[in-house]
Amino acid sequence: MNEQNHESVVEGLEFWRQLPAPQQPTWPDRDVLNNVLAELALTPPLVFAGEADVLKHRMAAASRGEAFVLQGGDCAETFADATADRIRSKIMTILQMAVVLTYGAGIPIVKMGRMAGQYAKPRSSDTEVRDGVELPTFRGEAVNAHAFTPEARTPDPWRLLQAYHSSAATLNLIRAFTMGGFADLRRVHEWNKGFTSNPAYKRYETIAQEIDSAIRFMAAAGVDFDALKTVDFYSSHEALLLDYEHALTRIDSRTGQPYNCSAHFLWIGERTRQLDGAHVDLLSRVRNPIGVKLGPTTTPDDAKRLAEKLNPEGERGRLTFITRVGASKIRDFLPSLLEDVTKNAGPVTWVCDPMHGNTITSGSGYKTRRFSDILDEVRGFFDAHDQAGSVPGGLHVELTGDDVTECLGGSEEIDDVGLARRYETLVDPRLNHQQSLEMAFAVAEMLHP
């Protein structure tokens, strides 16, 4: 790339500042923010452009039905939970789900964590009122703290730097676990260690025993097992805080093209997908595979125009639409959208987020979701694709490897009273380990050829 083109690319990456940018914190001191951003701009990239390119090819395979995307992790990560045990349990849960899906569907699973960067969340209001006291809303630990005090809730730009370092530590552990032998498929039994025994656990063990038998047979036949030793595991988060995402955008030395190096995959949320908005503009200019959340108000024209803006060259694997509609609406809403986009827009990888459209408040006041509704939305997603003749490409879920009690139902039959046992999320309710495995078994049956 010549100097003139380089300057043009860099200038283009600044254009978002001229556009409406919803869901941004009100930073109290712009000078402090600018100092933090200057420091972030000099940090090493968290991921590499070549890794994002490989993921794009795998997302393309999912769009053709040759792979399936499993994207899972916390609703909102916390700095305190960036520990080896917590990270390992989430990775083990996702690996277990991937084994179930691979074994049941017979296709590769693209493994992606909502990890190493999911430190900010959009909120429906800028402020929160408790007992007559009004304070800024909690926007994730990259912005402020959860405690309801003026000091905790004041946005602090130095938290952006803490988010970067916490993401770097998390990615370091992810790479160690997935590339250092921990994720070797010959150790599938060990991925259950530390989890409470339950029906889903036992069902998983049956599959693990069958995999062991198959591996012993292949070993006797002289098969080389190098491909089983490691797995590719990608990071993702919502590209919400534009100052942070811009500061971590780098120009790739191989191609001269810009990549967001805060994660392999970024998505634009339902609240920030305005076509003339800053989020869409900034992500339109980076070369990562990207996604957009589409809620029940999305029109076919909305989707088509987003595709034109974010993927004008029609590159397969570049754009993912993540539907988050609600179990009661998906069968009426999705088929026509699928048919129109498939006919009139470029290639899209379709992924189902069955969590965000099914949030309710329990009788005791907990923000929760019914496991039955979550599964029903996934079934509706598959039904809609079957009706439209399109490809269901993946699943996007909020989960944890811990035995929390945040979503109602499942084999444990968590009820309203049971939510209080271990309700730990700071924002949205997550599937626990058992519910995550139950979902994997159900989706494997939907994928089974």
Side-chain angles (χ1 to χ4, degrees):
M1 176 182 284
N2 61 41
E3 186 174 342
Q4 184 176 2
N5 287 341
H6 176 83
E7 290 179 0
S8 176
V9 168
V10 172
E11 288 176 5
L13 291 170
E14 300 287 341
F15 186 72
W16 66 270
R17 300 185 190 278
Q18 304 176 35
L19 303 174
Q23 296 288 335
Q24 302 307 289
T26 302
W27 303 107
D29 190 326
R30 296 295 301 187
D31 289 337
V32 174
L33 174 65
N34 289 335
N35 288 337
V36 169
L37 296 177
E39 188 169 343
L40 279 171
L42 297 175
T43 57
L46 292 174
V47 303
F48 302 103
E51 296 172 332
D53 289 340
V54 172
L55 176 59
K56 192 184 300 180
H57 289 304
R58 295 184 176 172
M59 299 301 287
S63 75
R64 297 188 295 266
E66 298 165 6
F68 191 77
V69 179
L70 175 60
Q71 187 175 9
D74 273 311
C75 149
E77 292 177 283
T78 65
F79 299 144
D81 281 347
T83 65
D85 287 344
R86 289 289 176 91
I87 293 167
R88 182 174 57 243
S89 68
K90 276 184 278 191
I91 292 173
M92 285 197 296
T93 300
I94 293 171
L95 289 178
Q96 285 180 311
M97 293 176 72
V99 162
V100 170
L101 291 169
T102 303
Y103 196 76
I107 56 175
I109 304 301
V110 182
K111 292 166 279 291
M112 195 187 308
R114 285 175 55 111
M115 298 173 67
Q118 187 59 23
Y119 288 107
K121 290 290 290 183
R123 305 311 302 269
S124 57
S125 175
D126 289 335
T127 60
E128 180 182 355
V129 178
R130 296 186 193 177
D131 299 325
V133 177
E134 184 175 15
L135 294 176
T137 192
F138 174 61
R139 289 188 172 275
E141 291 203 336
V143 177
N144 53 7
H146 188 260
F148 195 74
T149 67
E151 296 77 17
R153 289 297 179 91
T154 299
D156 180 1
W158 289 106
R159 285 179 166 272
L160 296 174
L161 202 59
Q162 191 174 358
Y164 168 84
H165 289 297
S166 186
S167 297
T170 300
L171 275 168
N172 184 53
L173 268 174
I174 288 173
R175 289 188 170 111
F177 285 139
T178 56
M179 305 304 288
F182 174 83
D184 191 322
L185 192 58
R186 290 168 293 183
R187 301 178 64 178
V188 286
H189 287 292
E190 296 181 31
W191 300 345
N192 249 345
K193 287 183 178 177
F195 294 128
T196 303
S197 181
N198 55 53
Y201 177 112
K202 292 175 182 176
R203 192 174 175 189
Y204 171 82
E205 273 298 311
T206 299
I207 285 183
Q209 290 167 7
E210 292 174 4
I211 290 172
D212 276 347
S213 297
I215 287 175
R216 286 196 298 272
F217 170 80
M218 289 188 291
V223 172
D224 184 354
F225 288 115
D226 282 347
L228 303 182
K229 294 178 181 177
T230 63
V231 300
D232 291 325
F233 194 101
Y234 299 97
S235 66
S236 68
H237 64 259
E238 179 177 355
L240 186 65
L241 301 178
L242 294 172
D243 286 315
Y244 179 84
E245 302 303 341
H246 177 265
L248 284 167
T249 297
R250 306 284 188 266
I251 305 300
D252 178 27
S253 60
R254 306 167 307 161
T255 63
Q257 295 298 312
Y259 283 77
N260 184 314
C261 293
S262 70
H264 300 105
F265 181 94
L266 292 305
W267 75 84
I268 302 166
E270 165 75 357
R271 293 183 176 99
T272 55
R273 61 172 174 82
Q274 297 83 6
L275 194 69
D276 59 352
H279 293 82
V280 169
D281 184 83
L282 182 59
L283 260 65
S284 74
R285 299 175 187 272
V286 298
R287 299 310 308 149
N288 306 60
I290 59 174
V292 184
K293 290 283 188 81
L294 301 181
T297 63
T298 308
T299 66
D301 188 59
D302 291 337
K304 185 175 74 170
R305 294 173 69 192
L306 282 166
E308 290 170 350
K309 173 74 174 179
L310 294 168
N311 192 22
E313 298 174 1
E315 182 183 9
R316 193 172 285 276
R318 154 72 175 172
L319 180 61
T320 297
F321 281 155
I322 307 166
T323 60
R324 31 98 71 225
V325 181
S328 65
K329 300 175 183 176
I330 191 161
R331 289 173 178 83
D332 294 328
F333 164 81
L334 192 54
S336 59
L337 182 69
L338 293 172
E339 290 168 5
D340 197 283
V341 171
T342 301
K343 182 179 179 181
N344 298 311
V348 170
T349 306
W350 292 96
V351 168
C352 176
D353 169 2
M355 309 294 290
H356 288 89
N358 294 304
T359 306
I360 60 171
T361 301
S362 74
S364 57
Y366 283 99
K367 185 179 183 182
T368 188
R369 292 152 177 163
R370 295 187 186 92
F371 184 65
S372 58
D373 290 340
I374 294 168
L375 273 186
D376 189 46
E377 178 154 358
V378 179
R379 290 191 181 95
F381 176 77
F382 275 82
D383 290 344
H385 280 282
D386 185 58
Q387 182 178 333
S390 48
V391 176
L395 186 65
H396 179 121
V397 290
E398 292 180 335
L399 60 81
T400 176
D402 301 323
D403 294 312
V404 299
T405 53
E406 297 170 1
C407 290
L408 297 165
S411 295
E412 296 170 301
E413 298 182 350
I414 297 170
D415 58 14
D416 196 354
V417 174
L419 291 175
R421 287 202 307 271
R422 280 195 65 179
Y423 193 97
E424 299 177 1
T425 183
L426 297 185
V427 187
D428 289 341
R430 304 159 295 175
L431 299 177
N432 62 25
H433 173 252
Q434 171 163 323
Q435 290 167 331
S436 299
L437 275 183
E438 287 181 61
M439 168 167 279
F441 283 113
V443 174
E445 291 175 0
M446 299 176 209
L447 282 168
H448 188 72

